[in-house]
Amino acid sequence: NRLDISVCCGIATGMCDIGQRTLEGAAVDRAREVSAAAAFAEVFVTDTVMSLVSGSGLLFLPKSSSADSEIAAFTLVESS
């Protein structure tokens, strides 16, 4: 938080179609849904992203306020 700004973010992965000025497809739609679920200073990822970065040192915490089990909030684990 060195810049003293708060953002929210949603991260998904998958196939998408690249247009001249747009990205379209299920992965883009899913990223939009995940981003909409995040509040300021939160980063949410899908379970697919969580699986792809396993072993990276990131700790994933499930989002408890949603019935959607594919959304997870994550925080970085500090290494000692």
Side-chain angles (χ1 to χ4, degrees):
N1 213 2
R2 290 178 260 170
L3 298 177
D4 197 31
I5 59 174
S6 294
V7 297
C8 60
C9 181
I11 303 172
T13 186
M15 303 269 307
C16 62
D17 297 319
I18 301 173
Q20 287 184 350
R21 294 183 179 216
T22 62
L23 292 175
E24 300 173 343
V28 177
D29 296 337
R30 187 69 179 136
R32 187 178 305 116
E33 293 170 3
V34 173
S35 181
F40 285 111
E42 291 183 323
V43 177
F44 287 171
V45 300
T46 62
D47 61 339
T48 304
V49 172
M50 189 171 58
S51 296
L52 288 172
V53 299
S54 65
S56 66
L58 297 174
L59 172 65
F60 293 91
L61 306 172
K63 181 179 185 244
S64 58
S65 63
S66 175
D68 187 348
S69 63
E70 292 188 12
I71 297 176
F74 78 82
T75 56
L76 181 63
V77 176
E78 300 278 336
S79 53
S80 50

